[in-house]
Amino acid sequence: EVAADAPETIKRKIEHSFDVAEQDLKDPKRARHPTKKHLKAVEVTPLIPDLDAFPDSGAYVTIKFLTNPMAGSGNKFDSRLLSSLFRPIDKTQQEEAAYEAALAAHEADPVGNPKPQNLMNYDFYLGDGPEVGKNFRRKFDVDDPEHDEDALYTDQAGGCFQFNRVRAYETAQETELDHTTKYQDEVLLAFNDDESYPRQKAVYYYPVMQKSTIHPQRTKNIARTAGIYEEEQIVDQLDITVDDPTEEMRDAMKRYREQPLGWDQERRRGGGAATEDEVVEELEEEEEAAATSSS
């Protein structure tokens, strides 16, 4: 008898699951809830990866507020939150030194010293009015015939979108994955009911390689009060413009479409594709060579 974890057994079960899903898609009455048998499916929709929506990093980041970022604004939803921005705050020399010391201690004694988390602090920004968020999102909508128009910028004098600082946040908890595990912990879902080519009616899912929970900055505030923390420069306003991705970014997105689990996916299969680090090193060498030749 073939073992349950044998490759041929696993392959057969996977193929069977696709057959069942296809039958349920054709006849929703076949679908059954695993525990609530009395429920009936109203609609059955395919769940598929959106291979055309990879960012150049190959995955997405999720950030969850532990407290309401708009506390005091009442029960009305502020649409500016749909297009808010986070700006990473550079670490001070003290913070960098403390992290490097903790990392060195971990490398010397992994059992006695847990690996330190390289947690980030952020400045949080909202658009200067509801029109900013609306037009900002239009700039990213490739189906919008006017998405390339400079007239969408709400600050016409500066040709940009203005975002104002709300407050600083610090990371309370962070989970980092890699390309081989980015689909295993959490995914993002988007429902699409537009059946026009090349899309199809489906629920699309997107990988998450880092997820963080944040709360208003406390640690630095306490340190400032105690007089043991150096003040950093605060940027009160960001002037944002939207440009098309560079050729390097387009190339990265294309490669992730072909190899969703990372650029070394082909190598793991026995091919000769380069890893991400090798590609980055190659790009850096090309940029350095170009700079040398131009000088």
Side-chain angles (χ1 to χ4, degrees), residues 66-117:
L66 288 178
T67 58
N68 182 2
M70 303 302 293
S73 61
N75 296 326
K76 185 178 180 180
F77 176 73
D78 192 328
S79 62
R80 294 180 300 165
L81 289 171
L82 297 173
S83 304
S84 52
L85 300 178
F86 286 100
R87 176 179 177 270
I89 300 175
D90 292 334
K91 286 183 169 60
T92 65
Q93 292 183 350
Q94 294 171 319
E95 291 172 325
E96 286 287 1
Y99 173 75
E100 292 296 335
L103 184 61
H106 166 72
E107 292 173 347
D109 181 12
V111 177
N113 299 293
K115 184 177 180 180
Q117 285 191 299

Side-chain angles (χ1 to χ4, degrees), residues 73 267-268:
S73 61
R267 172 168 294 184
R268 292 194 300 271

Side-chain angles (χ1 to χ4, degrees), residues 2 7-17:
V2 181
E8 55 266 34
T9 303
I10 296 175
K11 179 182 178 182
R12 186 173 64 253
K13 290 181 178 179
I14 292 175
E15 291 175 343
H16 176 67
S17 70

Side-chain angles (χ1 to χ4, degrees), residues 45-51 189-190 199-206:
T45 306
L47 177 66
I48 58 178
D50 192 344
L51 300 179
L189 300 177
R199 310 287 286 181
Q200 72 177 81
K201 184 176 181 180
V203 175
Y204 290 87
Y205 63 89
Y206 307 83

Side-chain angles (χ1 to χ4, degrees), residues 7-284:
E8 55 266 34
T9 303
I10 296 175
K11 179 182 178 182
R12 186 173 64 253
K13 290 181 178 179
I14 292 175
E15 291 175 343
H16 176 67
S17 70
F18 277 96
D19 292 337
V20 172
E22 184 177 4
Q23 294 172 17
D24 289 346
L25 189 61
K26 294 178 179 178
D27 183 9
K29 294 180 180 179
R30 286 177 43 89
R32 291 290 182 269
H33 193 280
T35 58
K36 301 177 182 179
K37 304 299 183 180
H38 64 285
L39 296 180
K40 296 181 180 180
V42 176
E43 183 179 4
V44 177
T45 306
L47 177 66
I48 58 178
D50 192 344
L51 300 179
D52 292 313
F54 278 112
D56 60 309
S57 61
Y60 290 87
V61 173
T62 63
I63 298 179
K64 179 182 179 180
F65 292 99
L66 288 178
T67 58
N68 182 2
M70 303 302 293
S73 61
N75 296 326
K76 185 178 180 180
F77 176 73
D78 192 328
S79 62
R80 294 180 300 165
L81 289 171
L82 297 173
S83 304
S84 52
L85 300 178
F86 286 100
R87 176 179 177 270
I89 300 175
D90 292 334
K91 286 183 169 60
T92 65
Q93 292 183 350
Q94 294 171 319
E95 291 172 325
E96 286 287 1
Y99 173 75
E100 292 296 335
L103 184 61
H106 166 72
E107 292 173 347
D109 181 12
V111 177
N113 299 293
K115 184 177 180 180
Q117 285 191 299
N118 192 15
L119 301 179
M120 295 294 298
N121 294 321
Y122 303 92
D123 278 327
F124 177 57
Y125 295 82
L126 287 175
D128 186 21
E131 196 69 16
V132 172
K134 176 183 176 182
N135 286 12
F136 185 70
R137 292 192 298 277
R138 287 186 63 188
K139 291 289 286 184
F140 289 92
D141 185 359
V142 294
D143 294 325
D144 188 326
E146 299 179 349
H147 77 278
D148 278 333
E149 298 294 331
D150 289 342
L152 289 176
Y153 288 120
T154 49
D155 181 6
Q156 285 297 303
C160 63
F161 297 110
Q162 290 186 344
F163 285 78
N164 299 323
R165 182 179 182 273
V166 178
R167 67 179 64 85
Y169 282 88
E170 63 186 22
T171 302
Q173 185 176 359
E174 183 177 279
T175 301
E176 288 192 15
L177 305 171
D178 56 33
H179 287 291
T180 60
T181 60
K182 61 188 178 184
Y183 286 103
Q184 297 180 10
D185 190 82
E186 178 179 284
V187 294
L188 304 176
L189 300 177
F191 180 77
N192 176 66
D193 57 2
D194 183 3
E195 299 184 10
S196 59
Y197 182 83
R199 310 287 286 181
Q200 72 177 81
K201 184 176 181 180
V203 175
Y204 290 87
Y205 63 89
Y206 307 83
V208 174
M209 200 154 63
Q210 177 182 312
K211 59 178 185 177
S212 303
T213 53
I214 61 174
H215 55 65
Q217 195 174 76
R218 300 169 185 167
T219 305
K220 286 188 177 181
N221 291 340
I222 295 173
R224 290 190 188 98
T225 303
I228 58 175
Y229 186 81
E230 59 186 80
E231 290 290 337
E232 74 269 7
Q233 182 179 3
I234 294 177
V235 179
D236 292 315
Q237 179 179 294
L238 299 178
D239 293 342
I240 304 295
T241 58
V242 180
D243 295 324
D244 290 330
T246 63
E247 288 302 317
E248 289 80 7
M249 295 173 68
R250 291 180 187 274
D251 180 64
M253 291 185 282
K254 179 181 178 182
R255 295 186 68 178
Y256 280 118
R257 186 190 191 285
E258 298 169 350
Q259 301 172 19
L261 298 182
W263 295 349
D264 61 343
Q265 183 178 351
E266 190 66 30
R267 172 168 294 184
R268 292 194 300 271
R269 292 175 176 172
T275 65
E276 288 95 330
D277 290 340
E278 290 171 337
V279 172
V280 170
E281 183 178 352
E282 180 181 343
L283 290 174
E284 290 176 346

